[in-house]
Amino acid sequence: MTSIAQGYYSIAVWITRFAYVNILWIAFTILGLGIFGLMPATVAMFAVVRKWNMGEQDIAIFPLFWKTYRQEFVKANGLGLLLAAVGYLLTIEFQILGTQTSLIYQMVQFSVVVILILFAMVVAYFFPIYVHFNLKFMDYIKWPFIIGVIHPILTVVLLVGVGLLLSITFYSLPALLFFFGGSVTAYILMWGVSKTFGKYEVNNK
């Protein structure tokens, strides 16, 4: 096989891998009735891309995905409900403040925007940290915040980069999101956040 053919073959393999994991993510989210399937399915997806980032590219995808989904179902949903509640309350507060015209309310609304950005940071760091470290329940919320704040440049690059990628794809070729939206996003976040893990592995692994 020539180098060009090998290159095309490698690209095709990776396209298939990403599409397969993304479809598994969607299917198992639906299997959990959406609200109870999203968190464990997302954790399972990150567990797979974590292996890829560690150089284990030929892993059996479905067994790892299914095992992680089952094992983390309860804990992932517990943390997911906590994150969902916080996100919901912040969104409602932002909308309520937006109906006010007083300067003081506008200032408070700005502070809520800052908190929402920090919340997005916690969510972005949450899944890579969840699948890589064995922590206590609330530490899965604490450490994404700490690591995200300590590495502001990485945080901005990841949030802006992923946001732009998803936005461009949505407005240009939205069908691609069905096959690659979740898995590619997970891979990018896992790759970026994992660059910080060396500083924290001794105490938290």
Side-chain angles (χ1 to χ4, degrees), residues 111-132:
S111 68
V112 173
V113 171
V114 174
I115 296 173
L116 280 169
I117 293 173
L118 292 174
F119 177 74
M121 176 194 72
V122 169
V123 173
Y125 278 75
F126 172 82
F127 292 102
I129 289 172
Y130 186 98
V131 298
H132 191 77

Side-chain angles (χ1 to χ4, degrees), residues 5-6 12 17 26 52 102 111 113 131 142 148 158 163 186 188 192 203:
Q6 288 178 335
R17 285 172 177 165
I26 295 172
W52 292 346
S102 173
S111 68
V113 171
V131 298
K142 181 182 75 175
L158 288 177
I188 293 171
N203 295 324

Side-chain angles (χ1 to χ4, degrees), residues 27-162:
F28 277 85
T29 296
I30 296 172
L31 182 65
L33 303 178
I35 187 172
F36 295 113
L38 178 60
M39 285 298 292
T42 305
V43 168
M45 176 172 62
F46 271 84
V48 173
V49 300
R50 172 179 175 269
K51 291 291 186 180
W52 292 346
N53 271 281
M54 295 174 68
E56 300 178 42
Q57 301 171 355
D58 296 322
I59 59 169
I61 293 174
F62 184 81
L64 175 59
F65 192 101
W66 173 235
K67 178 183 178 182
T68 305
Y69 184 88
R70 287 186 293 109
Q71 289 183 343
E72 304 299 331
F73 191 88
V74 174
K75 185 168 71 172
N77 270 308
L79 288 163
L81 290 174
L82 176 61
L83 289 172
V86 173
Y88 176 77
L89 291 174
L90 288 173
T91 302
I92 293 300
E93 184 175 3
F94 176 80
Q95 292 175 344
I96 293 174
L97 291 171
T99 63
Q100 308 298 318
T101 57
S102 173
L103 178 61
I104 185 64
Y105 284 108
Q106 292 177 355
M107 293 175 63
V108 174
Q109 186 182 34
F110 176 77
S111 68
V112 173
V113 171
V114 174
I115 296 173
L116 280 169
I117 293 173
L118 292 174
F119 177 74
M121 176 194 72
V122 169
V123 173
Y125 278 75
F126 172 82
F127 292 102
I129 289 172
Y130 186 98
V131 298
H132 191 77
F133 293 109
N134 182 22
L135 304 174
K136 296 179 181 178
F137 189 84
M138 289 306 299
D139 285 344
Y140 287 111
I141 306 297
K142 181 182 75 175
W143 278 102
F145 177 80
I146 292 173
I147 296 177
V149 170
I150 291 176
H151 303 277
I153 296 177
L154 175 63
T155 300
V156 171
V157 170
L158 288 177
L159 292 179
V160 174
V162 169

Side-chain angles (χ1 to χ4, degrees), residues 164-183:
L164 285 175
L165 177 62
L166 293 177
S167 298
I168 292 171
T169 305
F170 178 78
Y171 286 108
S172 57
L173 291 169
L176 288 179
L177 294 177
F178 178 81
F179 295 101
F180 306 106
S183 56

